[in-house]
Amino acid sequence: CQFSYWTDISASKVQRHLAELRESRDGKPGLSVASSNYYLAAIKQFCKWMVRDGRASESPVEHLQRLNTNGQQRTQRRAFTPDELRWLLDTTARGGERFGMAPSDRALLYRLAVETGLRANELRSLTANSFDLDANPATVEVAAGYSKRRRHDVLPLRPDTVELLRNHLRHKLPEAPAFRLPRRDAMADMLRADLAAARAAWIAEVPEGSELRRKREESDFLAEVNAAGEVVDFHGLRHTFITNLAASGVHPKVAQELARHSTIGLTMDRYTHAAWESMAEAVERLPDLQLPKRQSQRATGTDGRQSVADCVARKGATQHYSVHSDAMKASGKPSPESAKNS
């Protein structure tokens, strides 16, 4: 905006400059709506501080509103499935050096990311001293200066991962980086290459020319971008961590704390990816509303004989209120079991 003095600040110039940043140029996408809102929030926060500190009487950008981000998220991510993670970790650990990192180190890095939800810059900040592997439970600490919410974070570690970390860190000095990571813009390329190697190994597991081989080649398994346009990238490991918490039945409040989100809505709405099979299984767990079969009809007051009213009521209940899969088929709606199998 080229503001040098307080009197230079103009709301219209801020709006115009942000609009220019959002425009695509030379075939490259411009600034995302979310980033544009972030920049706007930064200048509004500065102007509010000027007013609070008595350096200005009012904020010239106070009336500016953030843009609506609904449906405008640039990258639609998906979570890794457990089988995808197993193939990725196993293939990476048995592969060669990539981007200056040993295969076992990359596999451990991905595992730590998907079991803690740590972001790439937070993982980069870790030193050997960040881990307390002798505590119960063992923990990893992220300094406030590297945490997105600018708070000191302590996260628990899985016991089997602790042993891998103990072996990985045993010869490192306390202040040495826990992982020798590539440059920031190469992190995504590193995971992309390991992802492609894992997919190739998975496809090559079956004979060439077979029907199963064709199905694997056409599937989205371990694909960087699936048929719906959703991607898996390094930040997708964090998405997977939070999605797995929800799928494991963890209380939403606990999931929010582990994800280190300011609101539970962010945890549940943006970072959890529900699968159709999980939704079908959840519906199947609802109470069974079918009337239990009775061996005797004496409770009707007819001494073993069914009344006409009882027969009509039971017939109506069977026709209109049954949640049995046969009744769903008769109505033309898929049952939870058929939906899951499809």
Side-chain angles (χ1 to χ4, degrees):
C1 293
Q2 298 181 348
F3 297 152
S4 299
Y5 300 96
W6 174 258
T7 54
D8 295 337
I9 299 178
S10 165
S12 61
K13 288 183 179 180
V14 171
Q15 286 182 311
R16 184 167 58 252
H17 183 57
L18 290 177
E20 292 173 353
L21 292 177
R22 293 193 299 270
E23 292 179 356
S24 299
R25 295 183 179 181
D26 300 328
K28 297 182 180 180
L31 195 69
S32 68
V33 174
S35 295
S36 177
N37 288 340
Y38 179 82
Y39 290 167
L40 177 60
I43 191 169
K44 291 184 69 173
Q45 184 179 16
F46 168 73
C47 291
K48 284 183 178 179
W49 172 81
M50 289 284 288
V51 174
R52 287 197 307 269
D53 203 48
R55 298 170 182 262
S57 58
E58 60 180 357
S59 169
V61 296
E62 181 63 30
H63 64 284
L64 294 183
Q65 300 293 321
R66 296 190 303 171
L67 298 175
N68 190 348
T69 58
N70 290 340
Q72 301 187 53
Q73 187 175 349
R74 180 176 299 169
T75 302
Q76 296 291 338
R77 292 184 175 90
R78 69 175 179 90
F80 287 89
T81 67
D83 283 341
E84 285 180 316
L85 284 174
R86 295 185 187 103
W87 271 94
L88 174 63
L89 297 181
D90 181 70
T91 307
T92 299
R94 292 186 290 105
E97 182 177 308
R98 205 186 300 276
F99 289 88
M101 287 192 71
S104 58
D105 292 353
R106 298 198 311 276
L108 181 57
L109 176 71
Y110 301 153
R111 181 168 182 160
L112 182 64
V114 83
E115 290 181 354
T116 61
L118 290 176
R119 304 172 180 89
N121 65 314
E122 294 171 336
L123 291 166
R124 188 180 297 276
S125 73
L126 299 180
T127 65
N129 207 32
S130 301
F131 297 88
D132 188 352
L133 303 182
D134 295 321
N136 188 20
T139 60
V140 58
E141 299 182 24
V142 180
Y146 298 97
S147 174
K148 186 175 181 179
R149 62 178 184 173
R150 294 298 183 261
R151 288 172 52 183
H152 178 78
D153 294 320
V154 180
L155 298 169
L157 298 170
R158 289 174 57 91
D160 47 353
T161 304
V162 169
E163 294 308 313
L164 295 174
L165 286 167
R166 195 185 303 277
N167 182 64
H168 173 74
L169 299 171
R170 68 181 187 277
H171 296 310
K172 292 183 179 292
L173 295 174
E175 299 303 322
F179 295 95
R180 185 183 175 185
L181 299 181
R183 64 183 190 276
R184 295 179 187 275
D185 57 344
M187 292 283 285
D189 294 336
M190 183 176 70
L191 177 62
R192 188 179 297 113
D194 285 329
L195 191 66
R199 177 174 169 82
W202 176 71
I203 293 176
E205 188 188 38
V206 297
E208 189 173 354
S210 64
E211 179 65 16
L212 181 57
R213 176 71 170 255
R214 183 186 65 81
K215 289 183 177 179
R216 289 196 174 191
E217 290 174 343
E218 295 176 353
S219 75
D220 289 335
F221 190 81
L222 287 169
E224 181 188 356
V225 183
N226 64 11
E230 299 170 324
V231 304
V232 284
D233 53 13
F234 200 94
H235 198 66
L237 295 171
R238 175 171 169 80
H239 279 248
T240 304
F241 166 67
I242 303 172
T243 298
N244 287 343
L245 290 177
S248 301
V250 173
H251 192 280
K253 192 63 179 178
V254 177
Q256 178 192 351
E257 290 297 321
L258 288 170
R260 296 167 294 137
H261 283 151
S262 57
T263 64
I264 198 168
L266 181 61
T267 305
M268 305 311 294
D269 295 340
R270 181 179 299 181
Y271 281 88
T272 56
H273 305 265
W276 171 255
E277 292 81 0
S278 300
M279 292 189 291
E281 291 174 0
V283 172
E284 290 177 356
R285 295 194 189 108
L286 294 174
D288 185 3
L289 303 181
Q290 188 120 349
L291 288 171
K293 294 182 179 180
R294 291 179 288 180
Q295 296 180 349
S296 172
Q297 301 294 335
R298 295 186 183 277
T300 64
T302 58
D303 295 328
R305 297 185 300 276
Q306 287 182 291
S307 67
V308 175
D310 185 51
C311 291
V312 172
R314 290 175 61 79
K315 182 179 179 181
T318 303
Q319 288 180 341
H320 301 290
Y321 300 108
S322 172
V323 293
H324 195 273
S325 58
D326 293 337
M328 298 181 72
K329 292 176 182 177
S331 65
K333 298 178 180 179
S335 65
E337 185 64 26
S338 66
K340 179 169 68 175
N341 291 337
S342 65

